[in-house]
Amino acid sequence: MIAGLRAVADWVWLVPLLPLLAAALTGIRVLLGRTAGDAGEPPTARLAEAAALGALLLLLAIDLSVIWHGWPGSRVVATWFAAAHWQGRVSFLLDALSLPVATLAALTGWLVVRFSAPYLHREPGFHRYFIVLGLFLAGIQALLLAGNGLLLFLGWEMCGVASFLLIGYAWQRPQATGNALFAFVTNRAGDAGLLFALGLAAFWVGSFEWQDLFAARLPLVDLRVLALGFVVAALVKSAQLPFTPWIARALEGPTPSSAIFYGALLVHAGVFLVLRLDPWLQQLPDVRGGLLLIGALSALYAWLCGLVQSDVKSALIYATVFQVGLMFVAIGLGWTTLATAHLCLHAAWRTWQFLLAPSWLTLTRERPPAPPRWLAANRWLYGAALQRFWLDQLGLALLAEPTRAIARDVRALEANFIDRAIGEPGRGRPVDPGRSLVRADGLPGRLLAAAAGLLQRFENRLLLRGRGGIGERLLREAGHWLRVLEELLEQPRYLMMAVMVTFVVIL
């Protein structure tokens, strides 16, 4: 049994794969039309629950193997791609940081899946929710267990896409889609930092593996630039200043997704990434100082904004940002063990609070919480907290509005040029019915209409001009020669000749 526990770490790749397979199977069921009605919901919920439970049991087995054999370390599953000087691998790093956090994530995912099934009963997007939740559970496990930056980036993007889809879960509501766009655009800034760091890693180190990156001897300037790319990605994902406003808008999704995304797991992904970079941060005290300052300012900002919130979920999200800011403060002070323990305890506690939020919302609807007297007495500070220190407006002006403007320009280009060039059904200019039988849509459509017009005129002049026309005479002559040929072929001698020719060809 002990020998079997040692080998169980080699199956760690199943942890992110199981939820992904469950999401894929649910998608296939939806495409086949086997999810209609109330009877279609239990198979979807059971499939997601089985995948989440399987990932949890596998991680618990790996945790047990640590007792006898120590931390499994790096596990290389396959080579993703390779180039002349570097290669990307599918590898997992099972150490004292990744395994505890991944186990907590698996437990949280399983509990949220069980909670979601009755909570979303008869919702129009029931099956869509579980497909996206499976994508998220696969992405967060790939992120936490990744043995290199590439696999972490893959999980990072899967979580980002899942977050975008669930913020816009009620896609019929403009506010939901607008908030999803705001969160999506803001997080792309973090993705840019992560891609920038990975590109530098490939160029300077020639590897994406964490062990190779931490063992490389780089000049401090290069190391600082490389670390800052990862740090920017972490600050955006964990909603630290100046990127905080997106997380309050992310609460448009269903409550279970808010619990697992912004209470438990996704909001802590940036903290996890910075904890992973601790070997670098030990050499960069100035970067640590920056993390301490940003964490302290984010905690202060979240504390003030949280005091004036009138609903439970908004108050909880600012309390979450406050605690995450304290984690960055601990990392800046070098207290990484404390930050890891804080991450795990806060994720568990905040999940429970978010899942209870609907009940608390009902209980406090008639009695909204009042701000403290000292804050209400300071009108400027109270007004600034109500406006969230105008960071929302700044984010809209710098990120969301330019994105919408680009989208409008692209749509105008498509409507005024591309559609007219390639043709769009129903948009072409009507053509005189006496001249053509088709409607011209775009440049290809007009060319086709012109060709059809030429063929139509040829047909009218040569074939359809009435009795005695050239078309009729040609057809009559052709018919006469075809009858002569048919009579000749019906003669026995020609029939025997055709049979002999057939045999010769076959032989």
Side-chain angles (χ1 to χ4, degrees):
M1 178 179 177
I2 295 177
L5 285 176
R6 175 181 294 180
V8 75
D10 295 332
W11 295 89
V12 67
W13 52 273
L14 283 174
V15 174
L17 184 62
L18 287 175
L20 194 61
L21 288 177
L25 291 176
T26 301
I28 292 173
R29 291 182 63 246
V30 171
L31 292 176
L32 294 178
R34 297 183 179 179
T35 56
D38 291 351
E41 292 185 0
T44 296
R46 286 196 294 266
L47 188 60
E49 183 180 347
L53 182 60
L56 173 61
L57 293 177
L58 182 55
L59 282 171
L60 289 175
I62 297 174
D63 294 337
L64 285 177
S65 71
V66 173
I67 299 175
W68 285 280
H69 306 292
W71 301 107
S74 181
R75 289 289 188 275
V76 178
V77 177
T79 298
W80 189 352
F81 58 86
H85 303 291
W86 46 270
Q87 60 183 357
R89 296 175 178 174
V90 180
S91 62
F92 298 90
L93 182 58
L94 309 178
D95 59 3
L97 174 62
S98 61
L99 270 180
V101 181
T103 304
L104 175 65
L107 175 61
T108 305
W110 177 59
L111 294 175
V112 169
V113 167
R114 288 180 59 86
F115 181 90
S116 300
Y119 186 87
L120 294 170
H121 177 52
R122 291 184 176 175
E123 282 283 334
F126 181 91
H127 306 283
R128 173 163 50 92
Y129 169 85
F130 279 97
I131 292 173
V132 179
L133 184 59
L135 177 67
F136 171 77
L137 292 177
I140 196 66
Q141 292 294 354
L143 187 157
L144 296 174
L145 298 171
N148 57 67
L150 279 180
L151 188 58
L152 179 138
F153 179 74
L154 177 63
W156 196 274
E157 290 303 301
M158 291 170 66
C159 291
V161 171
S163 174
F164 168 74
L165 293 176
L166 284 182
I167 296 171
Y169 176 80
W171 53 268
Q172 304 89 342
R173 299 176 61 242
Q175 186 176 359
T177 55
N179 288 343
L181 173 65
F182 185 88
F184 183 81
V185 172
T186 305
N187 277 272
R188 299 293 71 77
D191 296 347
L194 192 54
L195 281 174
F196 174 74
L198 291 175
L200 293 181
F203 183 72
W204 287 342
V205 183
S207 175
F208 301 105
E209 300 295 317
W210 294 127
Q211 295 174 340
D212 296 338
L213 292 177
F214 298 148
R217 296 184 177 274
L218 294 173
L220 285 181
V221 175
D222 295 350
L223 186 61
R224 185 174 291 107
V225 174
L226 187 58
L228 285 177
F230 287 108
V231 167
V232 169
L235 294 176
V236 175
K237 191 66 77 176
S238 289
Q240 298 297 286
L241 289 178
F243 309 104
T244 309
W246 76 265
I247 198 167
R249 295 173 173 269
L251 298 179
E252 284 292 332
T255 294
S257 67
S258 298
I260 194 171
F261 281 35
Y262 315 114
L265 302 180
L266 187 62
V267 72
H268 295 101
V271 179
F272 177 87
L273 176 57
V274 175
L275 287 170
R276 177 61 74 198
L277 301 177
D278 184 61
W280 284 347
L281 297 180
Q282 293 178 7
Q283 307 175 51
L284 302 170
D286 52 341
V287 176
R288 271 188 168 175
L291 291 174
L292 190 154
L293 178 61
I294 292 175
L297 291 176
S298 299
L300 178 62
Y301 167 84
W303 176 60
L304 291 173
C305 291
L307 290 176
V308 299
Q309 300 305 310
S310 58
D311 65 278
V312 174
K313 289 181 71 173
S314 295
L316 285 176
I317 203 64
Y318 281 106
T320 299
V321 175
F322 173 78
Q323 295 293 333
V324 172
L326 294 182
M327 295 175 203
F328 277 98
V329 170
I331 295 172
L333 293 172
W335 302 341
T336 54
T337 303
L338 176 62
T340 305
H342 190 182
L343 185 158
C344 296
L345 293 173
H346 177 255
W349 171 252
R350 201 64 74 191
T351 301
W352 180 74
Q353 285 187 316
F354 265 102
L355 293 180
L356 285 179
S359 300
W360 283 108
L361 190 62
T362 302
L363 293 174
T364 59
R365 184 169 297 167
E366 303 296 332
R367 297 169 297 167
R373 291 182 180 179
W374 64 266
L375 182 59
N378 191 330
R379 294 186 176 181
W380 183 90
L381 187 60
Y382 180 69
L386 281 176
Q387 295 295 326
R388 300 173 184 177
F389 293 87
W390 297 277
L391 283 183
D392 282 35
Q393 291 83 346
L394 184 63
L396 286 172
L398 296 181
L399 295 174
E401 287 304 326
T403 304
R404 292 194 182 100
I406 293 173
R408 288 193 294 267
D409 293 341
V410 172
R411 184 67 189 95
L413 176 66
E414 180 183 2
N416 298 324
F417 177 74
I418 299 177
D419 286 348
R420 294 183 180 182
I422 66 174
E424 182 182 4
R427 294 200 54 153
R429 297 179 180 177
V431 181
D432 184 4
R435 297 182 58 187
S436 177
L437 299 178
V438 299
R439 292 172 63 90
D441 291 325
L443 180 60
R446 288 193 291 272
L447 291 176
L448 182 62
L454 290 175
L455 293 175
Q456 182 180 353
R457 288 193 293 272
F458 174 79
E459 182 180 19
N460 287 335
R461 292 180 180 180
L462 297 184
L463 302 177
L464 302 177
R465 281 257 176 116
R467 189 173 182 84
I470 185 173
E472 183 180 357
R473 290 196 299 271
L474 290 175
L475 290 175
R476 186 177 300 158
E477 290 294 330
H480 170 72
W481 288 109
L482 287 175
R483 281 196 301 273
V484 172
L485 179 62
E486 181 182 9
E487 291 173 358
L488 289 175
L489 291 178
E490 288 177 353
Q491 299 294 326
R493 56 183 178 276
Y494 294 110
L495 181 62
M496 293 299 301
M497 185 180 298
V499 172
M500 294 174 62
V501 171
T502 304
F503 274 111
V504 172
V505 172
I506 294 175
L507 293 177

